[in-house]
Amino acid sequence: MNWAKIRLERRDEVTWAWRLFCFLVAILGTLLVTGVLISTAGKEPIEAFKELFIGAFFGIDSIVETLVRATPLILTGLAAVVAFRAKIWSIGQEGQLVLGAIAAYWASIVFEGLPRIIVLSGVICLGFVGGALLGVFCGWLKARYRVDEIISTVMFNYAIFYLLTYLLSGPWQPPGDFYVQSAPVIEKALLPNLLQDTRLHGGLFIAIVVAIIVYILIKRTALGYEIRAFGSNPIASSFKGIKPTRMLVVVMLISGGIAGLAGTSELLGVHGRLNTDIAAGAGYTGIIVALIGGLTPLGTVIAAVLFGAMVNGGFMMQVVTGVPKSMVFAMQAITLLFFLCSTLMSQYRIKRVTEDV
Amino acid sequence: MLEQLQIKNLTKRFGTVIANDRVTFDVRRGEIHCLFGENGAGKSTLAECIYGTYRSESGTICFNGELVEFNSPRDAIQLGIGMIHQHFVLVPPLTVLENIIVGTEDAKVLLNTQKAENKFKELCARYELKLNGHAAIWDLSVGEQQWVEILKALYLDVKFLILDEPTAVLTPEESDKLFRILNVMKRQGISIVLITHKLKEVMQSDRVTVMRKGKIINTVDTKSTTREQLTHMMISSELAVQGLKKKINSESTVVQIKKLDVRGPRGGYAVKDLNLTLNSHEIVGIAGVAGNGQKELFETLVGIQSPESGEVWLDTEDITHWSPAEILAAGVGHIPQDRYREGLIGQLSIVDNLLLGMHRSPRFAQRGFLDQERVRAFVQEQVDQFEIVAPSIDTVVGNLSGGNAQKVVLARELFQASVVLLANQPTRGLDISIADYVHRQLLEKRKEGYAILLASEELDELIKLSDRIVVMFKGQIAGEFVADNPDLEQIGLLMAGGNL
């Protein structure tokens, strides 16, 4: 008797066409499922998607706003890329972002009297250092005491957030002020605008530069090679002289520093003062962005812009169609699920097997 | 009817490898029957065929006089066959009792703990075991865990029990206790098959079957045989391949290992008071069953483990506490025992794998940037020279065949090594032609003046290649032989823990 069976089989080579196909299937799936969600809320899905798209990409202002929202996600996403490539599961981008912003704000106070170019480079450097310090500390905890990095980085997210609220309701709260926020950052520490009369700021420039640096780091440098090797097989790597302790510290330094830059960019490009909305979940969203981007710098930039567009277009969608903009967060989560599935799908083929029994 | 189990002409293949070749074997009711042979002789495969884990290609199994065909261990268990595997199959957070009743009728829907506890106590009393049924497995010593495994089988009222190297993890006192338990079981009429490569244990059995390279050599009554006869049967006698190596007078000492003590994963000594010298133009073979400290010795020599005491000298330098990178830079190459775990990065390409360890060398990296063109040219050269068969140099190493994967390791290590080559079972799992290729490469390096340390479980291989053979047993060197015409029986005896 003939039995037709279906079996999954791993592909030897993944072609570009097939990968693109999987990618399109993921997008279609996302639209379908969110479409169902929107219609159960009693709204017209096609209409909602249209407004979302218009809100995200129609006109200079919309595009600029999408990019502004994408900027911190690019940086936190890249931070996750660096760590995850080494299979170090750092979830600490949120805390590193905040500590980076705190360090940058502190630098803006200290460097107040210096020329603008020095102040600007000083705050950016300190922003990097702030995030890097926290990253290194978690890496060192793992290297020295085998503290799981997932636990330590998540815990520090909370600790650093409380440090922020302490600073903003105490030492850095302007006298007589009622709000939990700092005084504005001095003018010369603010990032320059990239496009006149818009909110597009230098943070985007920093993010693109960092993306290029991360690309070169992973593809072309000996350190990037070590990150890939260590991430794929730490035992074989250590046999050939790649020290696990050094990798933990160096990778967490770079990853934390990049997340710190996200905080710096938000502080000096968007908010202009320290407040408790400085991170707004960008650290966690960055992880999703990195995973959707397939842990590559280019993919991460694209995914970050996509997510920025969803948040930005969500406002228009709410105003015009009445679909709540929180629907966007459901959309982001669904996007992640479909992309993870499509990544897996792209590596397999479905085969029909006929067996004679 | 005397025979409880009768196997006729059983054959089991794995791919092209014949693990069991027309095996005929029987076990009598209430006897302790040893399966004796080197690692890879096919003992465990035979046991798994009896237990129903594997299905044989041909041949018959009769149990209690009836022809049986097992599709899974479940069928075997139903007929009262039990097996204790080399590695514990216990659930560490659960208690002893819970582990014993898991999978039995008493744990189907509701736990029948009262019945289980009574039976457990009765079994402990009968076999003189002191165990707390409510202790969690992870609180028990390794020996106590072994008793739990045995109780698991006894709880199911086994009539026929297979034990696969049960003493590998036990202390000598615990091993003695195990045999007392086995003898009680024997008096209850339980038949026992004991897989081992230790002579001391074989001598306590009723009958012995010796296996070599998948075949049964002979079955004899223990009383009417000697240790020497058994050893002779265990190791192959026809060692024709000689004359490949020409005698070269080695002039200088390259590596000196002095009084080396290394701790193993379980805290005891894996290497104890080991002294060894490697000379240039020389291959020193380490004979011994895997797990007698070879892995720890090699890992200490490459700097992955640090020894508790003792010294390692390379020429005139004390490298005892050097890092792997420093030892590599000094010209020491290493072919590790487990190539996919320790030697290769399966998800990366041939290019990346051949680069490993040289990614910081001035030849391939300037100011931290890799010179891709040079790297690729070098890799292409190596792939051609070693005849590595792959679609391209960007092929992921995990997709290569075992032989080609080992060639990647070989190419890399032979290139990086300039003085010393450490090879731990470099031909394990490879087919004859690739193994022969590895052999010729090692001999070539010997001619060039390298000092080579080669560990292998195959005596033929050691005799073919080595200038000297040392036997390692329980972390110590049990004896040294000149490889020209060594006394095989003495080597075998030492490998199995005997004395000369």
Side-chain angles (χ1 to χ4, degrees), chain A residues 38 48 67 88 113 115 126-127 163 190 203 252 265 287 306 340 342 345:
Chain A
I38 291 171
L67 291 176
I88 299 171
L126 258 289
L163 172 69
L190 293 178
M252 286 305 287
S265 146
I287 293 170
L306 188 75
L340 290 183
S342 94
M345 173 175 149

Side-chain angles (χ1 to χ4, degrees), chain B residues 56 59 70 82 116 187 325 359 381 415 452:
Chain B
S56 56
F70 298 145
R187 282 199 294 279
H359 56 276
E381 209 174 90
F415 185 83
I452 299 170

